[in-house]
């Protein structure tokens, strides 16, 4: 079966083997096998691709236990956040950490140690995992967590499926009173304004900025900042108070087929950016959870907007102390290239968690989407040098092209990760196109 | 049948049955799940309880074993309103040609065991004067093919059994539904190269099952095209049929 990540670049042709139970997984782990677990394929690049075999975790979608006293949920690794939202949202529970799409599995959320708009306050997904069951290369299943086999746990958080197959996990949900967010919108005319706003908003639960990556000169870094707090019942107008956990269910639209690759070009993106910036009315309003956290999910298959050649995302993080200079250089290089990034997002991250290859570190993360073309790859190499100069690194869940050198420079715990991978026998079986490319 | 009848699912760990269990539970039915693998049954039951909040019981039972069957029937303190039988075994035809024990298991799993259990449940439902029995058979039972005639002949037996039972139960308040899914993407067909236009997902089979249960249809082809395909296959003269590789 021909498969790709969310960016539809690159592709791999290989067997996708559905697993329904832990037993199905361990039966597949024969000594000569080469495999990688695949969740819902929302990583952008080649992390969940292996032409020699991929285990589809989606059939392992059972919810197993929930403790309403603590919010601790135990479920199989193929359960998606969308599932959890549908079941537990109306009962007043929400994932403590959620990425910008709800269509990810719990296995994928742990393997990438995903971050949300609240990383500065709550850390990554892994910080809320109590324990997980991991199928190792030799077929044993080991339970690990912060207090049990902590080194294996640390290697598995953000370990991109390279330590074993996560079968199930226990993690915390947070109580919510309503299905609404009090969203405050603010405009920042320059990069410095944007960073200042983030710094002032460190006590806010959620923060994220959309940034105009085409704007240069005096407007470099102009952004629209969105800050959010869970609304409590008394924040809601009387009409919504009767059913505070129900938000208006909006339909979803599907992108019908591949768009011609030119639909997103410099001119259409510039026009969009201008309109977005002007129309972002500063002020506070109520938005429903789904719209706040998953604005893109309303348009299913939006990755097809980029046409057949697919697209690549560049997501890097620059440490806080170097952020102003680093981001300025990254944005200047991007604006100068004339290449249009349709989605450009700036977020504040908090300190690094336990994961040896977890992406977040105390600083600012910038994410840019581009079509997968030669000039874009050339720009990325330029950006790599800037990221390295400022002590930053790239996110493996978005990556389809970084080299081994960039990984080594960005991830100081790489050797510890490799030692764990060796110690648990994972090197012999668990490979992805990404791990091969990076030589790990 | 009342909206919230107790549903008994035989072969509950099958992908088709799991999808059906979620649908039934979502509609508020209490469930009893039956299969051999205790751990899987417990995990499935926990999932259904958490998602839908209804009552879900499990029974571990090897339907090929007479004592186990009897124990299952004895354990039913309340007679279910709906019974769905998804028990089945495709088996390896070539291997079964050499191994009579496997051949017997294929025949028993697809025909004798389900027939004996459904027969007994039908008697009890007739006594009460109400009930729905849904048996998943197969288009493979419409003509014995070289590539899977052990499975096919057992399904043929099961189809004939369901048809006779339906006729006997008519007028006694008990409905009998025969489901012929065509190809379905499940554990049974993992690794087989199935033609996409003829292949349904478990959800689609489930939707057809629930719909048939409600509307009182006797025989369901999940994708209608299968009715046509099987008509053609049945019409082929034996002299031709012998020679085509199917
Ligand atoms: C629109 C969009 C927005 C996003 N926003 C964010 C964001 O805000 N923050 C963020 O952090 N990420 C974000 N992401 C990235 C996404 O959260 C991660 O890539 C996540 O890992 C995807 O999960 P998945 O289930 O689709 O996994 P896949 O893409 O299928 O796999 C990703 C990795 O997880 C591994 N994996 C999957 N399941 C298992 C398992 N059971 N056991 C072991 N390894 C496993 C795979 O081997 C692979 O290395 C976004 C992605 C999209 C498409
Ligand atoms: N998939 C298809 O293309 C297709 C097409 C036509 C018809 N069907 C029919 O649809 C039904 C469901 O099939 P599926 O594809 O979902 O297959 P499946 O996953 O293999 O399901 C078979 C079920 O039968 C149970 N079972 C087998 N032997 C048993 C025994 N001795 N005692 C108790 N339970 C037993 C299994 O449970 P445990 O193993 O856990 O005990 C499992 O729940 C079957 O009748 C099959 O013949 C399938």
């Amino acid at each position: 079966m021909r498969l790709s990540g969310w960016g539809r670049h690159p592709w791999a042709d290989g067997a996708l083997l559905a697993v329904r139970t832990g037993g199905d997984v361990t039966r597949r782990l024969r000594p000569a096998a080469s495999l990688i677990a695949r969740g819902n394929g929302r990583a952008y690049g080649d992390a969940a691709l292996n032409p020699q075999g991929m285990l589809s975790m989606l059939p392992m979608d059972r919810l197993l236990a929930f403790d309403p006293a603590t919010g601790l949920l135990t479920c199989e690794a193929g359960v998606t956040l969308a599932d959890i939202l549908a079941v537990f949202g109306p009962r007043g529970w929400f994932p403590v950490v959620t990425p910008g799409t709800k269509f990810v599995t719990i296995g994928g959320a742990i393997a990438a140690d995903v971050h949300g708009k609240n990383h500065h306050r709550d850390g990554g997904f892994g910080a809320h995992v109590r324990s997980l069951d991991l199928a190792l290369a030799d077929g044993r299943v080991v339970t690990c967590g912060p207090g049990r086999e902590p080194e294996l746990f640390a290697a598995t958080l953000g370990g991109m499926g390279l330590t074993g197959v996560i079968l199930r996990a226990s993690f915390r949900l947070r109580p919510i009173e309503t299905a609404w967010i009090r969203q405050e919108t603010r405009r920042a005319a320059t990069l410095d304004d944007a960073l200042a706003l983030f710094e002032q908003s460190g006590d806010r639960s959620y923060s994220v900025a959309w940034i105009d990556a085409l704007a240069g000169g005096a407007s470099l870094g102009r952004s629209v900042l969105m800050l959010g707090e869970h609304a409590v019942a008394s924040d809601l107008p009387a009409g919504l108070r009767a059913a505070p956990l129900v938000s208006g269910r909006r339909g979803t639209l599907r992108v019908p087929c591949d768009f011609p690759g030119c639909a997103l070009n410099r001119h259409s993106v510039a026009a969009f950016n201008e309109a977005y910036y002007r129309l972002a009315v500063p002020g506070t309003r109520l938005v429903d959870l789904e719209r706040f956290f998953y604005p893109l999910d309303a348009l299913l298959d939006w990755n097809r907007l980029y046409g057949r050649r697919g697209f690549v995302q560049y997501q890097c993080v620059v440490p806080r102390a170097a952020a102003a200079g680093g981001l300025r250089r990254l944005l200047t290089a991007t604006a100068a290239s004339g290449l249009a990034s349709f989605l450009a997002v700036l977020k504040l991250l908090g300190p690094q968690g336990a994961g040896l290859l977890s992406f977040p570190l105390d600083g600012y993360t910038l994410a840019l989407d581009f079509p997968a073309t030669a000039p874009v790859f050339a720009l990325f190499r330029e950006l790599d040098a800037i990221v390295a100069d400022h002590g930053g690194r790239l996110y493996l869940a978005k990556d389809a092209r970084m080299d081994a050198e960039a990984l080594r420079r960005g991830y100081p715990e790489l050797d510890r990760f490799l030692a764990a991978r060796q110690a648990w026998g994972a090197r012999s079986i668990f490979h992805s196109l990404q791990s091969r490319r990076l030589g790990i | 049948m009342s909206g919230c009848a107790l549903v008994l699912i035989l072969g509950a760990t099958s992908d088709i049955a799991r999808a059906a269990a979620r649908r039934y539970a979502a509609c508020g039915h209490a469930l009893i799940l039956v299969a051999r693998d205790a751990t899987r049954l417990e995990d499935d039951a926990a999932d259904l309880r958490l998602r839908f909040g209804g009552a879900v019981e499990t029974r571990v039972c090897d339907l090929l074993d007479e004592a186990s069957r009897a124990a299952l029937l004895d354990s039913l303190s309340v007679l279910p309103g709906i019974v769905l039988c998804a028990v089945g075994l495709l088996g390896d035809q070539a291997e079964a040609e050499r191994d009579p024990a496997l051949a017997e298991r294929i025949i028993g799993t697809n025909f004798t065991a389900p027939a004996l259990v459904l027969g007994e449940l039908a008697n009890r439902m007739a006594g009460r004067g109400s009930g729905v029995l849904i048996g998943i058979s197969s288009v493979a039972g419409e003509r014995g093919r070289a590539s899977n005639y052990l499975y096919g002949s057992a399904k043929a037996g099961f189809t004939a059994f369901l048809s006779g039972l339906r006729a006997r139960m008519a007028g006694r308040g008990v409905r009998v539904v025969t489901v012929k899914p065509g190809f379905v993407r499940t554990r049974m067909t993992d690794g087989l190269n199935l033609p996409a236009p003829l292949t349904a997902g478990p959800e689609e089979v489930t939707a057809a099952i629930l719909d048939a249960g409600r509307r009182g249809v006797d025989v369901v082809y999940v994708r209608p095209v299968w009715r046509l395909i099987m008509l053609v296959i049945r019409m082929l003269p034996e002299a031709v049929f012998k020679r085509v590789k199917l």
Side-chain angles (χ1 to χ4, degrees), chain A residues 72-431:
Chain A
L72 195 74
L73 173 66
T74 302
C75 69
E76 290 184 324
V79 169
T80 63
L81 286 184
D83 241 356
I84 291 174
L85 251 52
V87 173
F88 291 98
R91 300 180 203 173
W93 297 94
F94 192 74
V96 180
V97 172
T98 175
T101 172
K102 62 178 176 173
F103 298 117
V104 302
T105 65
I106 296 309
I110 295 172
D113 191 12
V114 298
H115 56 271
K117 299 172 181 170
N118 56 342
H119 192 274
H120 58 289
R121 288 249 311 232
D122 297 317
F125 193 89
H128 307 280
V129 175
R130 169 81 57 85
S131 71
L132 59 85
D133 282 5
L134 189 71
L136 300 176
D138 62 8
R140 270 182 308 150
V141 176
V142 174
T143 302
C144 61
R148 199 163 159 189
E149 298 291 2
E151 190 70 5
L152 182 61
F153 182 66
T156 301
L157 279 192
M160 303 310 283
L162 297 172
T163 57
V165 181
I166 300 162
L167 301 178
R168 53 176 64 186
S170 300
F171 52 95
R172 225 167 52 75
L173 304 182
R174 76 160 80 230
I176 50 171
E177 258 183 58
T178 76
W180 301 86
I181 293 284
R182 263 186 304 120
Q183 172 183 296
E184 186 188 345
T185 304
R186 307 185 64 167
R187 277 201 297 228
T190 65
L191 179 63
D192 289 337
D193 285 359
L195 296 183
L197 275 180
F198 269 114
E199 295 296 332
Q200 284 161 28
S201 317
D203 59 332
R204 298 301 190 88
S205 298
Y206 301 104
S207 58
V208 64
W210 162 89
I211 186 164
D212 181 352
L214 275 177
S219 303
L220 185 86
R222 71 170 175 176
S223 318
V224 176
L225 218 77
M226 261 101 46
L227 305 169
E229 298 296 331
H230 285 283
V232 293
S234 56
D235 293 330
L236 301 187
L240 293 174
R241 261 182 237 171
L245 290 163
V246 180
S247 64
R249 276 197 199 292
R250 288 152 303 115
T252 48
L253 293 172
R254 188 171 277 282
V255 175
C257 57
D258 291 352
F259 259 55
C262 58
L264 291 179
N265 58 32
R266 180 176 172 74
H267 304 290
S268 63
V269 173
F272 174 86
N273 284 357
E274 188 63 34
Y276 192 94
Y277 185 76
R278 301 273 158 228
L279 294 175
V281 185
T284 302
R285 79 203 75 166
L286 283 177
V287 298
D288 66 81
L289 279 179
E290 304 241 343
R291 192 141 114 219
F292 182 77
F293 289 103
Y294 316 116
L296 290 168
D297 285 352
L299 190 60
L300 294 176
D301 299 343
W302 61 264
N303 53 345
R304 295 180 144 212
L305 285 170
Y306 284 87
R308 288 202 166 280
R309 66 200 159 178
F311 67 111
V312 278
Q313 182 169 99
Y314 195 86
Q315 184 170 2
C316 60
V317 56
V318 179
R320 203 185 284 238
L327 291 171
R328 179 172 309 283
R329 280 184 61 197
L330 290 166
L331 289 169
T332 307
T334 305
S337 76
L339 298 164
S341 171
F342 182 55
L343 275 181
V345 175
L346 184 65
K347 270 191 285 216
L348 175 63
L349 298 177
Q352 160 131 33
L356 302 180
L357 289 193
S358 288
F359 167 69
L361 54 74
D362 193 7
Y364 285 89
T365 173
L366 176 69
L368 307 165
D369 277 7
F370 296 92
T373 59
V376 163
F377 289 112
L379 168 67
F380 281 14
R381 280 188 294 279
E382 227 179 290
L383 301 182
D384 285 350
I386 301 172
V387 170
D389 279 356
H390 291 83
R393 63 190 179 208
L394 303 184
Y395 190 11
L396 287 165
K398 305 292 177 69
D399 160 61
R401 39 68 58 190
M402 82 162 109
D403 58 23
E405 176 56 24
L407 180 75
R408 175 154 294 281
R409 269 199 305 210
Y411 288 87
E413 302 287 8
L414 179 63
D415 283 329
R416 243 176 95 195
F417 174 80
L418 294 177
R421 192 155 140 72
Q422 186 74 40
W424 297 91
R427 274 194 103 138
S428 62
I429 291 194
F430 300 110
H431 314 117

Side-chain angles (χ1 to χ4, degrees), chain B residues 45-122:
Chain B
D47 177 68
L48 292 164
R49 288 184 202 115
L50 268 176
R51 278 174 198 266
F52 307 107
V56 185
E57 291 178 34
T58 63
R59 301 275 194 283
V60 177
C61 170
D62 183 349
L63 286 171
L64 289 176
D65 180 77
E66 196 183 333
S68 185
R69 277 199 307 268
L72 169 70
L73 290 167
D74 280 351
S75 78
L76 300 175
S77 49
V78 177
L79 183 61
I82 300 174
V83 177
L84 170 65
C85 178
V87 175
L89 172 65
L90 184 56
D92 184 286
Q93 168 74 27
E95 199 181 319
E97 287 159 14
R98 297 183 298 269
D99 176 1
L102 176 58
E104 194 175 353
R105 225 146 46 80
I106 294 176
I107 295 168
T109 310
N110 292 298
F111 177 33
T112 18
L116 291 169
V117 176
L118 293 188
E120 175 54 28
L121 288 165

